[in-house]
Amino acid sequence: MGTGDIEDRPAAGDRSGIVLGSNQYGKAEVRVVRIERDTARHRIADLNVTSLLRGDYEECYRGGDNAHVLATDTQKNTIYAFAKEYGISSPEEFLLTLGRHFTGSVPWTTGGRWEAEQFGWERIPVQGRGHDHSFVRTGQEVRTAAVTIADGVEHVLGGLKDLLVLKSTGSEFHGFPRDKYTTLPETTDRILATSVTARWRFLPAAGADYDASYAAVKALLLETFAQTHSLSLQQTIFAIGERILQERAELAEIRFVMPNKHHYLMDLGPFGLQNNNEVFIVGDRPYGLMNTAVTRAGQAEAPAAWEWLAGFC
Amino acid sequence: MGTGDIEDRPAAGDRSGIVLGSNQYGKAEVRVVRIERDTARHRIADLNVTSLLRGDYEECYRGGDNAHVLATDTQKNTIYAFAKEYGISSPEEFLLTLGRHFTGSVPWTTGGRWEAEQFGWERIPVQGRGHDHSFVRTGQEVRTAAVTIADGVEHVLGGLKDLLVLKSTGSEFHGFPRDKYTTLPETTDRILATSVTARWRFLPAAGADYDASYAAVKALLLETFAQTHSLSLQQTIFAIGERILQERAELAEIRFVMPNKHHYLMDLGPFGLQNNNEVFIVGDRPYGLMNTAVTRAGQAEAPAAWEWLAGFC
Amino acid sequence: MGTGDIEDRPAAGDRSGIVLGSNQYGKAEVRVVRIERDTARHRIADLNVTSLLRGDYEECYRGGDNAHVLATDTQKNTIYAFAKEYGISSPEEFLLTLGRHFTGSVPWTTGGRWEAEQFGWERIPVQGRGHDHSFVRTGQEVRTAAVTIADGVEHVLGGLKDLLVLKSTGSEFHGFPRDKYTTLPETTDRILATSVTARWRFLPAAGADYDASYAAVKALLLETFAQTHSLSLQQTIFAIGERILQERAELAEIRFVMPNKHHYLMDLGPFGLQNNNEVFIVGDRPYGLMNTAVTRAGQAEAPAAWEWLAGFC
Amino acid sequence: MGTGDIEDRPAAGDRSGIVLGSNQYGKAEVRVVRIERDTARHRIADLNVTSLLRGDYEECYRGGDNAHVLATDTQKNTIYAFAKEYGISSPEEFLLTLGRHFTGSVPWTTGGRWEAEQFGWERIPVQGRGHDHSFVRTGQEVRTAAVTIADGVEHVLGGLKDLLVLKSTGSEFHGFPRDKYTTLPETTDRILATSVTARWRFLPAAGADYDASYAAVKALLLETFAQTHSLSLQQTIFAIGERILQERAELAEIRFVMPNKHHYLMDLGPFGLQNNNEVFIVGDRPYGLMNTAVTRAGQAEAPAAWEWLAGFC
């Protein structure tokens, strides 16, 4: 890696010439539900948490000496215990509490990565009012968070995934180069559809309101997608990122992984029918794929915040 | 099968003593999007359609003579063409149109099954109003429909799947028998969570408003789940089914496939913490599973409507 | 249902006119590994077991009285206990032992369905010999079994799923009818590919060697697929079923769920290239779908054996 | 990123202060089958290919000018055309051909990533001999490859995924530290199971035989897993990596993503049964997770080869 956030041991003195490189280990996908029941009107937090530690594990890898290996089972127990001890106010804060605990209490653990998915639940409406303790899952998207501690620095990412959006018009694609293998016709009216996965990095500052940021970023994302007349998915992505960074001063950058979920116009000519952009074949594979970072000029980059995150690093 | 709705050929004259039994064939998972763009305020229907024909295909199976085999590709084309010709008002009506076409125009096709999943889209809010042509997927549940034509009778099923609901209290489970292998403690306060899959059969009558039925059944289902103090998942299921049939006179029966998505109380005692039904381990497998039919007394059964439907037949 | 194998209670005396129909309940997907370690050369059985009971559960559904509800947790425990007490010789025999236990020891349980998936493991080769206790998963297919007890009769199904097969030639499709919506060209050389899911029903007889049957059916299935020049997937399916029933006298019938996994010829003409059935686009959706039963003439049907089995009932 | 392999544009002159960061785009999951039919004994290559380009796309992102955007549809066409023009000898070579084409022919494309999954097929045995044109999918693992071109350098990774292995004994775990949240008992005999995902980087040298490397690495991996008495999964992973690098001089490093697929000993005590490591509960979530690099000392690192690869960067 060479970025300092995971353990790169020198090969000094190793007789085989084979050395341990970067590594991390822990417990993945710990599914925890926390019910706040201090009043009859319950609140629910539903998380999928992963804890991965980095540090000095050379003796374990080379000799099977586990004296430095805080068991992954212990990491799991800590997640459940902390859900009780500290509650779950936001996934970002919960992960920060975990990360500070492990790096602060385990001497040979110098860093790590803590990740969460959060599943939303809303109250079931009964006679116009949300029920006290009955919930239905909000299916629209999954909220994500990731905290990295590396070289003594904390990096916090908010995010979301699986947010499906579609424009039935207001999307063009033309002016692209044509080589020997190009057959795609130009179009001034197509369906644009994607499944948004995004992560945004907070500037290192105390006092971020992660829930407020989340709500605002999601709203800006949807609104900008709707309002942007699209000349390409790339252009739409940048417009969304630019708008979010302009509006949300607490963010340093935002990254997107967005497939172009193709909707192909069905040829109805053989059946004597005209298809005026009305009937589409929804494709599965292949799909276009865009990985894009949009950043605030003049801010330091933070590669450690992104490493090992699929599609984002 | 012996129910008459799929082709059972007698073995008469077959020298091998091996005969073709029940069968159906067609095209599965045809993904079609239909945009209604007669005004600037577009409407969208997003379906996954399956068409399966039943009839006299003996010569194909036995000798490879395809004279009776309407190609599955043709069935696919018909779905796209009908999306243009007839539009998609509700999945039930779209499937009825398909079924009547195939049984009415292909002499050796005497019946079949047509199924659909419908994915919901809602308008993206922009300055307080839903956008004309930009949509976000409604993730909560998937609507389903199934039409069967057998022995000249049409059976219509509405349905939904993947609707996740949870009660954080108001659920008990005790009084169950204890045998040699029973270790489960009784409880008067547990989390009850399930993913609802349901299908409801319409009484054979003209004029059903399938969209109105759908909205009403979903609302009744959620409301009854919320309002029922649960002594077992079975009791909750029956209460839901009973309420729906009482309120919706157009329905003959409703069937459920409901897992009991276990939330296990985490033992925090080893860490010196009390867990007052606050922190739960969410289990994946195994899970409880309930298949249940609730029916209106005095109505004829319709086994043909349910055959070949996973978990419902 | 009307087949007698699941509980259909009369509506007698019910004041609401809403009655409980057919139902079953239990524990699904109990993942159990059993190691036989009586010698240093271990053997492994790896199963995913589901247990579903049928009988008199009216009081639970209607009133929340659980006196008849053997907890699904107890069913799970029984599966693990029986893995120890009886071992796992074949999935069919393990399920029979479970079914006889539940119907024999729980008075109000009159029947049920027990299902299993079995995952294969083979010994890792070390210096030309399989290792004693190190295994690699055999990925080719998953073995399945299902036992039904209904009206005092035991029905046993063997099976497999996810067996992918492909012919790169030796497959034609032509002579099918052409209507207004038909555009598919005829072909005398195409790729034929499918994922085989099959279940075979044993004649009610003592002494079946389920493992031997499994090995033989799989071998016959593959061999017949290879040797049959195909005029349609239907013809290939029947040829396979016919051959298996001719060779395996212990079987009453076999049923298939087989998708036609389309491989579309890529049009390379725009690039000045000829495509002589060399380069194919592998499609995901839609796909052809065939449900087919092949039976032995003169044998009684056993609909109860197939009910509630996705794609087979 | 700061590693030079993807486009980082300076913010110079941008009035909004919001700048485009690292990015790549292309077509993902192009499913191609290539049949070699020069003789009656066909050969088959079955790949899932992704092509992602990097270079100067600023105008597209900022202004919707697509003059530099080689359409993802064109990338897809190129994959199919190259399958015909060049055949598919190994996935690594096929990806190299693609990468050299795009970086060599599209002026503003300075690099990219090309990835493939390869699905194995073996001949169906008929009377002791593999059939000429009928195949069954080899399910054991999926082969992978990834080629990166960055700063004029080609990086080649071979790999595999989803290779499930299990030891029924010969695995211990003890000596780990115990803190307030530790409850895991020590064990000297447990099941060790994992699903191997690995990628190995070739030293930059002409003439690598990628297929031979693949077969050798897989065999060494399995054999070392079998032969290593395990004191922790980490120790097993390092032993495998060390052995492979010792034996295969063409490789610079190998990285692993390995879950610890927990098999929990079932407590049969309540049923009066002893469980001598015979009956296990197979867990789904949570699972242990290890990301580990094993490298050859003295070789230059190649971070660009690993970036954007889930779990490996």
Side-chain angles (χ1 to χ4, degrees):
Chain A
M1 299 312 203
T3 55
D5 71 313
I6 45 180
E7 185 69 11
D8 290 288
R9 291 284 296 237
D14 176 63
R15 62 199 180 289
S16 76
I18 312 298
V19 294
L20 179 63
S22 64
N23 63 84
Q24 61 181 359
Y25 86 102
K27 195 69 111 194
E29 303 208 35
V30 178
R31 292 282 290 110
V32 55
V33 156
R34 171 66 154 97
I35 307 293
E36 301 286 344
R37 43 195 300 157
D38 45 331
T39 74
R41 196 155 181 84
H42 290 184
R43 281 160 292 128
I44 178 171
D46 183 357
L47 261 62
N48 190 23
V49 180
T50 294
S51 168
L52 296 164
L53 305 185
R54 303 169 186 170
D56 174 11
Y57 308 111
E58 182 91 6
E59 294 309 314
C60 173
Y61 275 105
R62 286 199 168 274
D65 177 344
N66 296 315
H68 279 195
V69 181
L70 192 75
T72 67
D73 190 75
T74 299
Q75 295 177 54
K76 175 207 73 182
N77 285 348
T78 308
I79 290 165
Y80 286 111
F82 277 31
K84 165 68 182 173
E85 288 186 87
Y86 302 102
I88 298 173
S89 56
S90 73
E92 291 87 348
E93 286 164 293
F94 187 67
L95 299 180
L96 278 165
T97 305
L98 285 168
R100 289 165 185 167
H101 164 75
F102 289 117
T103 55
S105 67
V106 187
W108 47 84
T109 294
T110 52
R113 162 71 49 73
W114 295 268
E115 294 186 55
E117 297 176 315
Q118 183 166 24
F119 308 105
W121 292 91
E122 58 192 64
R123 296 180 188 280
I124 291 177
V126 176
Q127 292 162 352
R129 183 171 183 265
H131 194 268
D132 272 356
H133 57 260
S134 297
F135 303 86
V136 58
R137 177 96 140 249
T138 309
Q140 211 166 62
E141 87 279 5
V142 173
R143 179 173 172 178
T144 66
V147 163
T148 309
I149 300 181
D151 296 325
V153 178
E154 293 174 350
H155 305 280
V156 180
L157 302 179
L160 58 77
K161 64 176 187 176
D162 301 337
L163 182 68
L164 287 153
V165 289
L166 180 150
K167 287 172 87 78
S168 55
T169 189
S171 168
E172 315 186 19
F173 189 56
H174 47 76
F176 47 85
R178 307 195 76 85
D179 72 3
K180 179 184 171 187
Y181 300 108
T182 302
T183 56
L184 187 73
E186 307 207 322
T187 175
T188 56
D189 193 358
R190 63 171 185 174
I191 282 185
L192 182 70
T194 185
S195 172
V196 183
T197 301
R199 291 190 187 266
W200 45 91
R201 180 165 62 89
F202 287 88
L203 285 164
D209 180 339
Y210 298 111
D211 288 351
S213 286
Y214 183 82
V217 170
K218 182 184 167 188
L220 288 166
L221 191 162
L222 288 176
E223 193 177 280
T224 311
F225 175 82
Q227 290 185 303
T228 303
H229 183 91
S230 179
L231 298 174
S232 72
L233 180 53
Q234 285 94 324
Q235 182 223 24
T236 295
I237 292 171
F238 189 81
I240 292 170
E242 189 177 41
R243 174 91 184 279
I244 289 168
L245 292 187
Q246 283 168 344
E247 302 275 337
R248 304 304 301 181
E250 74 271 29
L251 304 182
E253 61 177 316
I254 182 164
R255 297 191 183 187
F256 301 94
V257 178
M258 308 245 291
N260 195 336
K261 297 180 81 72
H262 304 305
H263 286 64
Y264 305 102
L265 199 65
M266 175 71 185
D267 179 8
L268 300 175
F271 322 129
L273 298 168
Q274 264 209 314
N275 190 355
N276 302 311
N277 278 333
E278 294 163 296
V279 177
F280 294 87
I281 301 165
V282 185
D284 291 315
R285 294 191 293 186
Y287 49 90
L289 182 60
M290 318 280 146
N291 300 57
T292 311
V294 182
T295 67
R296 195 179 296 282
Q299 289 295 329
E301 292 198 2
W306 299 99
E307 284 179 343
W308 307 74
L309 288 169
F312 286 97
C313 39
Chain B
M1 298 309 206
T3 55
D5 72 313
I6 42 179
E7 186 70 10
D8 290 288
R9 291 284 296 239
D14 177 62
R15 64 202 178 286
S16 75
I18 311 299
V19 294
L20 179 63
S22 64
N23 64 85
Q24 61 181 359
Y25 86 103
K27 195 69 112 192
E29 303 208 36
V30 178
R31 293 282 290 109
V32 55
V33 156
R34 171 66 154 100
I35 307 292
E36 301 285 344
R37 44 196 299 156
D38 45 332
T39 74
R41 197 155 180 84
H42 289 184
R43 281 160 291 129
I44 178 172
D46 183 357
L47 262 61
N48 190 23
V49 181
T50 294
S51 168
L52 296 163
L53 306 186
R54 303 169 186 168
D56 175 10
Y57 308 112
E58 183 91 7
E59 293 309 314
C60 173
Y61 275 105
R62 286 199 169 273
D65 177 343
N66 296 315
H68 278 195
V69 181
L70 193 74
T72 67
D73 189 77
T74 298
Q75 295 177 55
K76 177 207 73 182
N77 284 347
T78 308
I79 290 164
Y80 286 111
F82 277 31
K84 165 68 182 175
E85 288 186 86
Y86 303 102
I88 298 174
S89 55
S90 73
E92 291 88 348
E93 287 164 292
F94 187 68
L95 299 181
L96 278 166
T97 305
L98 285 169
R100 289 167 187 167
H101 165 75
F102 288 117
T103 54
S105 67
V106 186
W108 48 83
T109 295
T110 53
R113 161 71 49 74
W114 294 268
E115 294 185 55
E117 298 176 311
Q118 183 166 24
F119 309 105
W121 293 91
E122 58 193 63
R123 295 179 189 281
I124 292 177
V126 177
Q127 292 161 352
R129 181 169 185 267
H131 195 269
D132 273 355
H133 58 260
S134 297
F135 303 87
V136 59
R137 177 95 140 248
T138 309
Q140 211 167 61
E141 87 279 6
V142 172
R143 179 174 173 178
T144 66
V147 163
T148 310
I149 300 180
D151 298 324
V153 179
E154 293 172 351
H155 304 281
V156 179
L157 303 178
L160 58 77
K161 65 176 189 176
D162 300 337
L163 182 68
L164 287 153
V165 290
L166 180 150
K167 286 173 88 77
S168 56
T169 189
S171 168
E172 315 185 20
F173 188 57
H174 48 74
F176 47 87
R178 307 194 77 84
D179 72 5
K180 179 183 172 188
Y181 300 107
T182 303
T183 55
L184 188 73
E186 306 207 324
T187 177
T188 56
D189 194 357
R190 62 170 184 173
I191 282 185
L192 182 69
T194 185
S195 172
V196 183
T197 302
R199 290 190 187 266
W200 45 91
R201 180 165 61 89
F202 288 89
L203 285 164
D209 181 339
Y210 298 110
D211 287 351
S213 287
Y214 184 83
V217 169
K218 183 184 167 189
L220 287 165
L221 191 163
L222 288 175
E223 192 177 279
T224 311
F225 176 82
Q227 290 185 304
T228 303
H229 183 90
S230 179
L231 298 173
S232 71
L233 181 52
Q234 285 95 323
Q235 182 222 23
T236 296
I237 292 171
F238 189 81
I240 292 170
E242 189 176 41
R243 174 92 185 281
I244 289 168
L245 292 188
Q246 283 168 345
E247 302 276 336
R248 304 304 302 181
E250 73 273 27
L251 303 182
E253 62 177 316
I254 181 165
R255 298 190 182 187
F256 301 94
V257 178
M258 308 245 292
N260 195 337
K261 296 179 81 73
H262 304 305
H263 286 63
Y264 305 102
L265 198 64
M266 176 72 185
D267 179 10
L268 300 175
F271 322 128
L273 299 169
Q274 264 210 314
N275 189 353
N276 302 312
N277 278 331
E278 293 163 295
V279 177
F280 294 87
I281 301 165
V282 186
D284 290 316
R285 295 191 295 184
Y287 49 90
L289 182 60
M290 318 281 147
N291 299 57
T292 312
V294 182
T295 66
R296 195 180 295 284
Q299 288 296 329
E301 292 196 3
W306 300 98
E307 284 178 344
W308 306 75
L309 286 170
F312 285 97
C313 40
Chain C
M1 300 307 201
T3 56
D5 71 313
I6 42 179
E7 186 69 11
D8 291 289
R9 293 283 296 239
D14 176 63
R15 63 201 178 287
S16 77
I18 311 299
V19 294
L20 180 63
S22 63
N23 64 86
Q24 61 181 0
Y25 86 103
K27 195 69 115 194
E29 303 207 36
V30 178
R31 292 283 289 110
V32 56
V33 155
R34 171 64 154 100
I35 307 293
E36 301 286 343
R37 43 196 300 156
D38 46 331
T39 75
R41 196 154 180 84
H42 291 184
R43 282 160 291 129
I44 178 172
D46 184 357
L47 261 62
N48 190 22
V49 181
T50 294
S51 168
L52 296 164
L53 307 185
R54 302 169 187 170
D56 175 9
Y57 307 112
E58 182 92 6
E59 293 309 314
C60 173
Y61 275 105
R62 285 197 168 274
D65 177 344
N66 296 315
H68 278 196
V69 181
L70 192 75
T72 67
D73 189 76
T74 299
Q75 295 178 53
K76 176 207 72 181
N77 284 348
T78 308
I79 290 164
Y80 285 111
F82 277 31
K84 166 67 182 173
E85 290 185 87
Y86 302 102
I88 298 173
S89 55
S90 73
E92 290 88 348
E93 286 164 294
F94 187 69
L95 299 181
L96 278 166
T97 306
L98 285 170
R100 288 165 188 168
H101 164 76
F102 288 118
T103 54
S105 67
V106 186
W108 49 82
T109 294
T110 53
R113 161 70 50 74
W114 294 268
E115 294 185 56
E117 298 176 313
Q118 183 166 24
F119 309 104
W121 292 91
E122 59 193 63
R123 295 178 189 282
I124 291 177
V126 176
Q127 292 161 353
R129 181 169 183 267
H131 195 268
D132 273 355
H133 58 260
S134 297
F135 303 87
V136 59
R137 177 96 140 249
T138 310
Q140 211 167 63
E141 87 278 7
V142 172
R143 180 174 172 179
T144 65
V147 163
T148 310
I149 300 181
D151 298 324
V153 179
E154 293 173 351
H155 305 280
V156 179
L157 303 179
L160 59 76
K161 64 178 188 174
D162 300 337
L163 183 68
L164 288 153
V165 290
L166 178 150
K167 288 174 89 76
S168 56
T169 188
S171 168
E172 315 185 19
F173 189 57
H174 46 76
F176 47 85
R178 306 194 77 85
D179 72 4
K180 178 181 171 189
Y181 300 107
T182 303
T183 55
L184 188 73
E186 306 207 324
T187 175
T188 56
D189 194 357
R190 63 169 185 175
I191 283 185
L192 183 68
T194 184
S195 173
V196 183
T197 301
R199 293 190 186 266
W200 44 91
R201 180 165 62 89
F202 288 89
L203 285 164
D209 180 339
Y210 298 110
D211 287 352
S213 287
Y214 184 82
V217 169
K218 183 184 167 187
L220 287 165
L221 191 163
L222 288 176
E223 192 177 279
T224 311
F225 176 81
Q227 290 184 304
T228 302
H229 183 91
S230 179
L231 298 174
S232 71
L233 181 53
Q234 284 95 323
Q235 183 223 23
T236 295
I237 292 170
F238 189 80
I240 292 170
E242 189 177 42
R243 174 92 184 279
I244 289 168
L245 292 187
Q246 282 168 346
E247 301 276 338
R248 303 304 302 181
E250 72 273 28
L251 303 183
E253 62 177 316
I254 182 165
R255 297 190 182 187
F256 301 94
V257 178
M258 308 245 291
N260 195 335
K261 296 177 81 72
H262 305 305
H263 287 63
Y264 306 102
L265 198 65
M266 176 71 185
D267 179 10
L268 301 175
F271 322 128
L273 299 168
Q274 264 210 316
N275 189 354
N276 303 311
N277 278 332
E278 293 164 295
V279 177
F280 294 87
I281 302 165
V282 186
D284 291 314
R285 294 192 293 185
Y287 49 90
L289 182 59
M290 318 280 146
N291 300 58
T292 312
V294 182
T295 69
R296 196 179 295 284
Q299 289 294 331
E301 293 196 3
W306 299 98
E307 283 178 344
W308 306 74
L309 287 169
F312 286 96
C313 42
Chain D
M1 300 310 207
T3 55
D5 71 312
I6 42 181
E7 185 69 12
D8 292 287
R9 292 283 294 238
D14 177 61
R15 64 200 179 288
S16 75
I18 312 298
V19 294
L20 179 63
S22 64
N23 63 85
Q24 61 182 0
Y25 87 102
K27 193 69 113 192
E29 302 208 38
V30 178
R31 293 281 292 109
V32 57
V33 157
R34 172 66 154 101
I35 307 293
E36 301 285 343
R37 43 195 301 156
D38 45 331
T39 75
R41 197 155 181 82
H42 290 185
R43 281 160 292 128
I44 178 172
D46 184 357
L47 262 62
N48 190 23
V49 180
T50 294
S51 169
L52 296 164
L53 306 186
R54 302 169 187 169
D56 175 10
Y57 308 112
E58 182 92 5
E59 294 309 314
C60 172
Y61 276 105
R62 286 197 169 273
D65 177 344
N66 296 315
H68 278 196
V69 181
L70 193 74
T72 68
D73 189 77
T74 297
Q75 295 177 54
K76 177 206 73 182
N77 284 347
T78 308
I79 290 165
Y80 286 111
F82 276 31
K84 165 67 182 175
E85 288 186 87
Y86 302 102
I88 298 173
S89 56
S90 73
E92 290 89 347
E93 287 163 294
F94 187 67
L95 298 180
L96 278 166
T97 306
L98 284 169
R100 289 165 187 169
H101 164 76
F102 289 117
T103 54
S105 68
V106 186
W108 48 82
T109 294
T110 53
R113 163 70 49 74
W114 295 268
E115 294 186 55
E117 298 176 313
Q118 182 166 26
F119 309 105
W121 292 92
E122 59 193 64
R123 295 179 189 280
I124 291 177
V126 177
Q127 292 162 352
R129 182 171 185 266
H131 194 269
D132 273 355
H133 58 261
S134 297
F135 303 87
V136 59
R137 176 95 142 249
T138 309
Q140 212 167 62
E141 87 279 5
V142 172
R143 179 173 173 178
T144 65
V147 162
T148 309
I149 300 180
D151 297 324
V153 179
E154 293 173 351
H155 306 280
V156 179
L157 303 179
L160 58 78
K161 64 176 189 176
D162 300 336
L163 182 68
L164 287 152
V165 290
L166 179 151
K167 287 173 87 77
S168 56
T169 189
S171 169
E172 315 186 19
F173 188 57
H174 47 75
F176 46 87
R178 306 195 77 84
D179 72 5
K180 178 183 171 188
Y181 300 107
T182 303
T183 56
L184 188 75
E186 306 207 324
T187 177
T188 57
D189 194 356
R190 63 169 184 174
I191 283 185
L192 183 69
T194 185
S195 173
V196 183
T197 301
R199 292 189 187 267
W200 45 90
R201 181 165 61 89
F202 288 89
L203 286 164
D209 181 340
Y210 298 110
D211 287 351
S213 287
Y214 184 84
V217 169
K218 183 184 167 188
L220 288 164
L221 191 162
L222 288 176
E223 193 177 279
T224 311
F225 176 82
Q227 291 184 304
T228 303
H229 183 91
S230 179
L231 298 174
S232 72
L233 181 52
Q234 284 95 322
Q235 182 221 25
T236 296
I237 292 170
F238 189 80
I240 292 170
E242 189 177 41
R243 175 91 184 281
I244 288 168
L245 292 188
Q246 283 168 345
E247 301 277 337
R248 304 304 302 181
E250 74 273 28
L251 303 183
E253 62 176 317
I254 181 165
R255 298 190 182 187
F256 301 94
V257 178
M258 309 245 291
N260 195 336
K261 296 178 80 74
H262 305 305
H263 287 63
Y264 305 102
L265 199 64
M266 176 71 185
D267 178 10
L268 300 176
F271 323 128
L273 299 168
Q274 265 210 314
N275 189 355
N276 302 312
N277 277 334
E278 293 163 297
V279 177
F280 294 87
I281 301 165
V282 186
D284 291 313
R285 295 191 293 186
Y287 49 91
L289 183 60
M290 317 282 148
N291 300 58
T292 312
V294 182
T295 67
R296 196 179 294 284
Q299 289 296 330
E301 292 196 4
W306 299 98
E307 283 178 344
W308 306 73
L309 286 169
F312 286 96
C313 40

